[in-house]
Amino acid sequence: MPELPDVQVYKQYLDATSLHKTIKNVKVEDSRVLSNVTPGKLRNRLKGHKIESSRRHGKYLLAFLDAGFWLSFHFGMTGRLKYFKKMEKDPAHDRVLLSFVNGYHLAYVSQRMLGELEVVEDREEFIKKKEMGEDALSIDLESFTKVVKGRRGSIKSTLMNQKLIAGIGNIYADEILFHSRIHPKTQASKLREGDFQKIFNNMTKVLEKAIRCQVDPERFPDSYLLPHRHQEGKCPRSHGNLETVKISGRTAYFCPRCQAQQ
DNA sequence: AGTACCACCTGACGGC
DNA sequence: TGCCGTCAGGTGGTAC
């Protein structure tokens, strides 16, 4: 379900479990998740090597191999990582399995296979090729304002546009706009001067909070939209019914009282 | 430039 | 029980 916070938690998980361990074998259960590499080629490149470190950019997690290249993980809507020892614990929808010399395995799990694994030679070039904007947790207020200001689309689709800012998806766009008390359909070009700072501050606050909560909905404060983001959900602030509207094909949840239409 | 729609995939759920 | 439409925290292409 991976947006920036989810992928950051996966990064922490990868770092905690899978660094500096020699890869003994690579098993591709479904090659449709491989983007620019065949199963045999992937195995040849990874076998005998170790993941030394990792980086995240937007919704992409890149693992750096001691052989001098990167393995990029994108998770689509249903991707995740799972580290385990016994093969009986092998999770369902496991698509690629890295097996380490210590007997443990790291699975790339993806039920719907909308994500992909890709071998990347140059990280900067990869980000450029994907036309990704600055990462939502690295961008500063000045660049953020520059990127958002004057856009003709809605603020929600602007926040979700990976070419402008990388990392925000449907859930966190809604959360950020809820805290900013801005209707998701508001045209970015109609935002007022103070709105950019407000949205920027809430973007940082919400993403960092989600990471601290390990994206566990149970651990989110009740004042957040996420625990209430479902049909029948009530706004934790006004206690009124939440409403939904379609924006660029995705369902936006918002509180019509707190987030008045502009 | 921005949006609408479709495609890629699987599975859960509700209605008939 | 089975079939069907709809929906789901993503993204890329294409047609307006």
Side-chain angles (χ1 to χ4, degrees), chain A residues 99-138:
Chain A
S99 301
F100 301 106
V101 288
N102 68 353
Y104 280 80
H105 316 275
L106 179 71
Y108 170 77
V109 185
S110 182
Q111 181 196 108
R112 289 172 64 189
M113 296 188 285
L114 295 174
E116 61 189 14
L117 296 195
E118 191 167 344
V119 170
V120 171
E121 308 299 339
D122 183 306
R123 184 180 147 273
E124 302 280 335
E125 201 177 288
F126 174 74
I127 292 168
K128 199 185 282 181
K129 187 186 75 188
K130 297 277 182 190
E131 300 180 70
M132 274 187 270
E134 277 189 71
D135 185 82
L137 278 183
S138 308

Side-chain angles (χ1 to χ4, degrees), chain A residues 156 170-178 225 229 251-253:
Chain A
K156 174 157 180 180
N170 197 28
I171 291 284
Y172 290 101
D174 281 357
E175 192 71 52
I176 292 162
L177 293 173
F178 174 73
L225 179 65
R229 198 181 179 284
T251 302
Y253 280 79

Side-chain angles (χ1 to χ4, degrees), chain A residues 9 31 36-37 55 77 83-84 91 115 153 172 182-183 189 254:
Chain A
V9 171
S31 61
N36 65 345
V37 65
R55 298 280 299 262
M77 299 224 337
Y83 183 78
F84 61 96
Y172 290 101
I182 291 173
H183 192 286
S189 58
F254 68 102

Side-chain angles (χ1 to χ4, degrees), chain A residues 90-102:
Chain A
D90 185 17
H93 313 299
D94 154 7
R95 308 302 184 191
V96 176
L97 196 63
L98 306 190
S99 301
F100 301 106
V101 288
N102 68 353

